[in-house]
Short mmCIF file of all heavy atoms in Angstrom, two decimals:
data_model
loop_
_atom_site.label_atom_id
_atom_site.label_comp_id
_atom_site.label_asym_id
_atom_site.label_seq_id
_atom_site.Cartn_x
_atom_site.Cartn_y
_atom_site.Cartn_z
N ALA A 809 107.49 125.81 170.87
CA ALA A 809 108.67 125.42 171.63
C ALA A 809 109.86 126.19 171.05
O ALA A 809 109.99 126.30 169.82
CB ALA A 809 108.93 123.92 171.52
N GLU A 828 101.97 138.17 172.49
CA GLU A 828 100.95 137.93 171.47
C GLU A 828 99.82 137.08 172.06
O GLU A 828 100.09 136.02 172.65
CB GLU A 828 101.57 137.19 170.26
CG GLU A 828 102.66 137.97 169.55
CD GLU A 828 102.13 139.24 168.91
OE1 GLU A 828 101.15 139.16 168.15
OE2 GLU A 828 102.71 140.31 169.17
N ASN A 850 106.17 115.27 177.39
CA ASN A 850 104.95 116.06 177.49
C ASN A 850 103.85 115.53 176.57
O ASN A 850 104.08 115.30 175.38
CB ASN A 850 105.23 117.53 177.12
CG ASN A 850 106.08 118.21 178.18
OD1 ASN A 850 105.72 118.24 179.35
ND2 ASN A 850 107.21 118.75 177.77
N ILE A 852 101.11 117.22 175.80
CA ILE A 852 100.73 118.31 174.89
C ILE A 852 101.96 118.69 174.06
O ILE A 852 103.01 119.03 174.60
CB ILE A 852 100.22 119.53 175.67
CG1 ILE A 852 98.96 119.16 176.46
CG2 ILE A 852 99.93 120.70 174.73
CD1 ILE A 852 98.47 120.24 177.39
N LEU A 861 120.19 126.38 164.45
CA LEU A 861 120.89 125.30 163.75
C LEU A 861 122.10 124.79 164.53
O LEU A 861 122.24 123.60 164.79
CB LEU A 861 121.35 125.76 162.36
CG LEU A 861 120.28 126.10 161.33
CD1 LEU A 861 120.89 126.20 159.95
CD2 LEU A 861 119.17 125.08 161.33
N PRO A 864 125.02 122.66 170.79
CA PRO A 864 125.79 121.50 171.28
C PRO A 864 124.91 120.25 171.40
O PRO A 864 123.68 120.34 171.32
CB PRO A 864 126.26 121.96 172.66
CG PRO A 864 125.26 122.99 173.09
CD PRO A 864 124.82 123.67 171.83
N GLY A 903 113.19 119.21 156.22
CA GLY A 903 111.82 119.37 156.70
C GLY A 903 111.42 120.69 157.33
O GLY A 903 110.29 120.81 157.81
N ASN A 911 118.69 138.30 162.38
CA ASN A 911 118.54 139.76 162.35
C ASN A 911 117.18 140.17 161.78
O ASN A 911 116.96 141.32 161.44
CB ASN A 911 119.69 140.42 161.56
CG ASN A 911 119.66 140.07 160.09
OD1 ASN A 911 118.79 139.31 159.63
ND2 ASN A 911 120.60 140.59 159.33
N LEU A 917 109.02 137.75 162.32
CA LEU A 917 108.94 136.49 163.07
C LEU A 917 107.49 136.14 163.38
O LEU A 917 107.05 135.00 163.15
CB LEU A 917 109.75 136.59 164.37
CG LEU A 917 109.63 135.40 165.33
CD1 LEU A 917 110.10 134.11 164.68
CD2 LEU A 917 110.41 135.67 166.61
N LYS A 927 99.02 128.09 156.91
CA LYS A 927 99.25 127.46 155.61
C LYS A 927 100.13 126.21 155.64
O LYS A 927 100.17 125.45 154.68
CB LYS A 927 99.90 128.46 154.65
CG LYS A 927 99.09 129.71 154.40
CD LYS A 927 99.88 130.68 153.54
CE LYS A 927 99.12 131.98 153.35
NZ LYS A 927 99.89 132.97 152.60
N ARG A 961 94.06 118.43 137.72
CA ARG A 961 93.56 119.04 138.97
C ARG A 961 94.66 119.10 140.03
O ARG A 961 94.81 120.10 140.73
CB ARG A 961 92.36 118.24 139.49
CG ARG A 961 91.80 118.77 140.80
CD ARG A 961 91.25 120.18 140.64
NE ARG A 961 89.85 120.19 140.29
CZ ARG A 961 89.20 121.24 139.84
NH1 ARG A 961 89.83 122.39 139.68
NH2 ARG A 961 87.91 121.18 139.54
N LEU A 997 101.37 114.57 148.14
CA LEU A 997 102.44 114.19 149.06
C LEU A 997 102.90 112.76 148.80
O LEU A 997 104.10 112.47 148.76
CB LEU A 997 101.98 114.35 150.51
CG LEU A 997 101.80 115.78 151.03
CD1 LEU A 997 101.05 115.78 152.36
CD2 LEU A 997 103.14 116.49 151.19
N LYS A 999 102.42 110.86 145.97
CA LYS A 999 102.98 110.69 144.61
C LYS A 999 104.39 111.26 144.49
O LYS A 999 105.24 110.70 143.81
CB LYS A 999 102.07 111.36 143.58
CG LYS A 999 100.82 110.57 143.23
CD LYS A 999 100.08 111.27 142.09
CE LYS A 999 98.89 110.49 141.61
NZ LYS A 999 98.23 111.14 140.46
N GLU A 1001 106.42 111.82 147.01
CA GLU A 1001 107.23 111.36 148.15
C GLU A 1001 107.79 112.55 148.94
O GLU A 1001 108.94 112.55 149.38
CB GLU A 1001 108.37 110.45 147.67
CG GLU A 1001 107.87 109.18 147.00
CD GLU A 1001 108.99 108.27 146.52
OE1 GLU A 1001 110.16 108.67 146.64
OE2 GLU A 1001 108.68 107.17 146.05
#
Side-chain angles (χ1 to χ4, degrees):
E828 298 296 307
N850 290 304
I852 298 173
L861 295 193
N911 66 359
L917 173 60
K927 301 175 183 176
R961 178 63 91 194
L997 289 167
K999 283 186 175 183
E1001 298 180 356

